[in-house]
Amino acid sequence: MRPSSQTSRRAASTLAFAALSLAACPDTSGVFDDFVERSEPFRKGPSAGECGGAVDLSGTYLQGVEVAIDRTKPLRFRVDVDIDLTTNTIDFAMQALAAPPNNGDIPAGTPVGEIYTATSPITPADGKFVLAFPSIVVPTAANPILPAPVTATLTFSGCTSTATFSCGTIAGSITDPVTLALDGSSWALTPLADGVDPMSITLVASCPE
Amino acid sequence: MPAPANCRRPPGPSPLGTRLAPAIALVAMVLTTATSLPARATGLLVARFGGEWGHPMSDDLWSIYYNPAGLSLLDATKLALSGSFAWRAMSYTRGEAALDDVLEDPDVGAGTPQGAGISANTGEATLSNFLVTPFFAVGSDFGIDGFGAALGFYVPIGGQSIWDRKASSPEFPGAEDGAQRWWTIEGTIRSMYATAAAGYRIAPLRLSVGAGLNVVISEIDNIQARNVDGTDNLVANGRLQEGRARIDVSSVDLAVSLGLLWEPIDHLFIGLSYQSQPGFGEQRLTGDVDLVLGSGPVPESTRTAAEVRQSMPDVLRFGVRYGAPKSWEVRLFGDWARWSVLTEQCILNATVADRSCVGDAPPGKIIIIPRHWKDAWGVRGGGSWWATPDLELVLGGGWDGNAVPDAMVEPALYDGDKFHLTLGAKLTVGDALEVMLSYSQIIYPDRDIAARGRVPKDPNDPTGATWTDIATIGLRDAVRVPDAAGQYTHAVGVVELGMSYRF
């Protein structure tokens, strides 16, 4: 039989542990993981569009970019596309365009920041290409989502749909000011004629559903 | 049920532990599972260890925090252990007026769709929690007349909450985390103090002086709903918009305390003490933020190295007690906390070299939570009556002010004016042991916070998309957070159980 003093110590110990067990601890990791799992069925990716074959759509375009973190505020870029069907390559040169609400005194539609270029082979059968931009900085004036410059790593996948239209999906992530995945984002091109205000054109930023 | 991953439980008993089980259990509780009481003084100040015996005129080990000058009156080697066992009930009812935008067509624009969307983003959120806060101290006069020094560990700043889950929604996956989820779903913010302090009585002046050095371990562990633009929009163009942000950061800072205790006539004690800010100013807590935002696929890693910048207050305490030993005593004391230093909790990407919380486009900003609290003070009165020389009965009451202006009220770090009433007793067993027990009821008048109102996102499109008006409450877009307007109820009850042993 246990000595009574030892029994009382054990009882006190049990009481202390019992009190602890009643005080629940926050489990923030569990709540986060639970939301990720619960929201998975609601995470619909954008349409990749239909690809018919390699088409020469060289020209100047207004590019709309719809990012998954906020689909109501597409970004605008001016894009020069140069396609060579003899070598089956596409050259892409893009520059951000200032847009409200963070453009300050810079008129909306004004090219801002650097021009970024990428080249990709085109698959002759379906016109598919993949353009990789290791690091793009979108200046504050061209960023409708955050009042801050954003650095991103982007990969545009798409195909040459018609002689005046191309669209596709985006993979990659924002790397500054915060790390955020951009998978599930989309883009599309609309012809931009010389002298036309890019803000006057109805922006398309995804493939037809 | 297994403990959650971040619930740190004491180890099981060992042979040594079996012999010393009660003490080890309590010390382990102090060192490994310190939680925090809900706000009981002003703002996040929760220090009430020692119950009615914890005040800036104390001559016991509780003075290690309230006024280190009181250690000069220890007159022995002593050990003190106590636990505050609190229940807390809170509700927050959010109305439609607090929403950033309400969508007639859920597939067009960003906002909260009418009908089921509004139900998923409003309504009553409730919380019922039980919390334990420990205190441990050991001190001695080392045989030196008029001297005392002590070591202690306790949790004077912080709070913890786990909100009740709601019914799930087939259309909106965030709904079951409750209408308060834009501020917190579950979380902890606390500062634990490890203190070394000493006091000395200058006998000719009848004046004691004291000082303490605190190692302050601060933690923030919180999860909340979050959108990249700081709104409470559930959807954008028919797709999921609502995301989650989990913050897990900590820091170790230093702080100091200073105190005076004057006995101008026998048994009249006047105390004054000062506790510095943890880190003597801005704290920088480091850790991680997990983010999942928008409708895209969840990436393999959601984690970003993060730094949180915040400032906790310094605190001034003062009071007076007078009485006849083992017969009666009256006490009046108060505190003033400089909560106006808590202007923002700024969460930054720690990998951005020039990160900053300043301006309209702070580099490296992840989330900036506006606080803009105000200085607050509280006052307490109480008395003791000895039914027998070994049994002291206490009664106390008081009022503590509110550190959170109406425009900054939200469910995560709630405060309000509060009244409290305490009943208790202290029993002296033999020459060495004192056991104290008290119950305090804290009564918070309800708060009803008016909505900010909505304004067009684009001033040139007055009939277009809206969000709540933060300009009229002095906030810039970089610190936008959803509107926490609505009705708040809050009540707390605390059992303080403690013992002091004289060797």
Side-chain angles (χ1 to χ4, degrees), chain B residues 234-273:
Chain B
L234 300 184
V235 298
N237 291 350
R239 290 193 167 134
L240 175 69
Q241 174 78 353
E242 178 180 349
R244 289 289 180 273
R246 172 182 175 263
I247 300 141
D248 185 10
V249 293
S250 63
S251 72
V252 178
D253 300 287
L254 293 177
V256 297
S257 60
L258 300 168
L260 295 172
L261 187 60
W262 183 40
E263 187 186 11
I265 59 173
D266 285 352
H267 313 308
L268 174 64
F269 290 89
I270 300 171
L272 175 67
S273 74

Side-chain angles (χ1 to χ4, degrees), chain B residues 103-152:
Chain B
L103 303 179
E104 291 183 12
D105 181 345
D107 293 327
V108 178
T112 300
Q114 284 190 336
I118 291 176
S119 298
N121 216 1
T122 61
E124 184 183 34
T126 54
L127 169 155
S128 301
N129 290 167
F130 176 73
L131 306 164
V132 181
T133 299
F135 172 93
F136 165 79
V138 60
S140 176
D141 65 353
F142 297 99
I144 303 169
D145 192 32
F147 177 76
L151 299 171

Side-chain angles (χ1 to χ4, degrees), chain A residues 34-209:
Chain A
D34 185 45
F35 176 77
V36 168
E37 185 178 334
R38 203 166 66 229
S39 61
E40 187 56 35
F42 297 84
R43 299 183 179 280
K44 294 181 285 190
S47 167
E50 293 188 6
C51 300
V55 178
D56 186 356
L57 50 78
S58 299
T60 300
Y61 292 87
L62 172 67
Q63 183 190 34
V65 170
E66 186 178 290
V67 291
I69 57 174
D70 191 341
R71 295 188 178 282
T72 61
K73 301 187 185 88
L75 285 73
R76 290 171 163 82
F77 295 85
R78 176 195 162 97
V79 171
D80 288 316
V81 178
D82 186 10
I83 289 181
D84 185 341
L85 291 180
T86 60
T87 58
N88 283 313
T89 56
I90 178 171
D91 292 324
F92 212 78
M94 59 187 289
Q95 186 176 22
L97 299 177
N102 298 316
N103 53 321
D105 295 332
I106 301 173
T110 304
V112 291
E114 292 185 36
I115 298 172
Y116 297 93
T117 60
T119 300
S120 166
I122 297 175
T123 309
D126 55 14
K128 285 185 178 176
F129 57 84
V130 178
L131 293 157
F133 294 89
S135 180
I136 282 181
V137 176
V138 178
T140 302
N143 184 354
I145 299 173
L146 295 171
V150 164
T151 305
T153 298
L154 300 176
T155 301
F156 293 89
S157 298
C159 58
T160 55
S161 305
T162 71
T164 57
F165 182 73
S166 181
C167 66
T169 59
I170 299 172
S173 61
I174 295 172
T175 55
D176 180 35
V178 64
T179 304
L180 280 176
L182 291 174
D183 297 356
S185 303
S186 60
W187 64 275
L189 300 181
T190 306
L192 180 61
D194 282 346
V196 173
D197 177 4
M199 304 305 290
S200 68
I201 299 174
T202 302
L203 190 67
V204 180
S206 60
C207 298
E209 294 284 346

